[in-house]
Amino acid sequence: DAMVIQNPRYQVTQFGKPVTLSCSQTLNHNVMYWYQQKSSQAPKLLFHYYDKDFNNEADTPDNFQSRRPNTSFCFLDIRSPGLGDAAMYLCATSRERTSGETQYFGPGTRLLVL
Amino acid sequence: GENVEQHPSTLSVQEGDSAVIKCTYSDSASNYFPWYKQELGKGPQLIIDIRSNVGEKKDQRIAVTLNKTAKHFSLHITETQPEDSAVYFCAASISFQKLVFGTGTRLLVSP
């Protein structure tokens, strides 16, 4: 019954080694989001896809990129992870990109950078 | 841009007591205010939301109130239970579904 699925749940990578996190959804929603959440902090939006249209937040580092090959899947690529990128990465979806649409979050992937 | 402040950062109550968490927002154009509950190691889950054309909304033990004039909204949990223990985030949405989150409140309900 899981609606937003994230894999893996835990990811360990080395400093500077590229890593990819994945998200899939069974809701057939148009919008998919990626958030970064550091310990004891609020989720911070990195970017979102509205269908195939990519929307980057102004303060998202270039080190973070995303791909959405189809409606169901979205990937977060971290090209050269630094120690400061260790965090929980949350994927969320919403039916439409209008205020008032509920965002459904996945369980998150916790990234550790060694 | 929008800024959301949330208080308190930590709240401890006894089982059966009520809990109130308050948030203020800065942009009067915000029109959607969800509350999320995040349990340890899990993603945030929507528990209740309110739109700017409504002053109050209830769902069993949970209620949210909105004061547009003062630009603040509050979460009220009555008859708290240990399973209510979690981090609660308020958020405000101004446009195109971008949610701006508050800093979170860690609620601890002691048996």
Side-chain angles (χ1 to χ4, degrees), chain A:
Chain A
D1 287 63
M3 297 182 292
V4 183
I5 303 160
Q6 291 189 245
N7 286 303
R9 295 294 312 278
Y10 300 91
Q11 177 73 56
V12 181
T13 191
Q14 293 179 338
F15 183 93
K17 185 175 181 180
V19 65
T20 295
L21 310 181
S22 78
C23 176
S24 64
Q25 53 130 341
T26 60
L27 298 163
N28 203 33
H29 281 175
N30 286 319
V31 194
M32 296 187 76
Y33 309 80
W34 280 104
Y35 289 86
Q36 179 192 64
Q37 185 178 29
K38 294 189 175 180
S39 182
S40 301
Q41 295 184 19
K44 178 181 181 296
L45 183 64
L46 295 173
F47 27 60
H48 75 274
Y49 270 97
Y50 179 65
D51 194 13
K52 297 180 180 180
D53 181 32
F54 177 71
N55 297 269
N56 199 26
E57 291 299 302
D59 56 354
T60 298
D62 293 340
N63 198 28
F64 292 88
Q65 297 181 336
S66 186
R67 296 170 284 135
R68 189 179 186 185
N70 54 53
T71 299
S72 299
F73 285 87
C74 195
F75 299 99
L76 170 62
D77 300 309
I78 308 176
R79 291 193 296 181
S80 181
L83 298 179
D85 296 328
M88 174 81 88
Y89 290 88
L90 297 163
C91 175
T93 74
S94 66
R95 189 174 58 91
E96 284 295 335
R97 195 179 59 176
T98 53
S99 184
E101 286 284 345
T102 300
Q103 287 193 22
Y104 297 89
F105 284 83
T109 294
R110 184 165 296 281
L111 177 68
L112 180 61
V113 181
L114 301 178

Side-chain angles (χ1 to χ4, degrees), chain B:
Chain B
E2 174 67 286
N3 182 52
V4 179
E5 295 186 357
Q6 183 172 347
H7 300 280
S9 57
T10 306
L11 179 59
S12 294
V13 299
Q14 291 294 120
E15 182 176 1
D17 288 349
S18 294
V20 180
I21 303 170
K22 299 181 179 181
C23 289
T24 60
Y25 59 99
S26 60
D27 196 317
S28 56
S30 291
N31 57 2
Y32 175 62
F33 308 92
W35 285 89
Y36 285 86
K37 175 183 181 182
Q38 187 173 25
E39 297 177 340
L40 192 63
K42 298 183 179 180
Q45 299 298 312
L46 180 74
I47 55 171
I48 196 167
D49 57 14
I50 193 168
R51 288 161 177 76
S52 60
N53 59 345
V54 176
E56 183 177 5
K57 183 177 179 180
K58 291 182 179 179
D59 183 3
Q60 299 183 338
R61 296 186 297 110
I62 294 173
V64 57
T65 59
L66 172 65
N67 183 327
K68 287 194 298 180
T69 302
K71 290 189 283 188
H72 68 69
F73 56 112
S74 300
L75 176 71
H76 304 253
I77 306 174
T78 59
E79 300 174 21
T80 54
Q81 302 167 2
E83 50 266 38
D84 294 329
S85 296
V87 178
Y88 290 81
F89 289 99
C90 64
S93 176
I94 184 170
S95 66
F96 291 118
Q97 263 293 75
K98 177 175 178 175
L99 287 178
V100 178
F101 286 87
T103 49
T105 296
R106 184 173 301 278
L107 174 65
L108 177 62
V109 181
S110 301

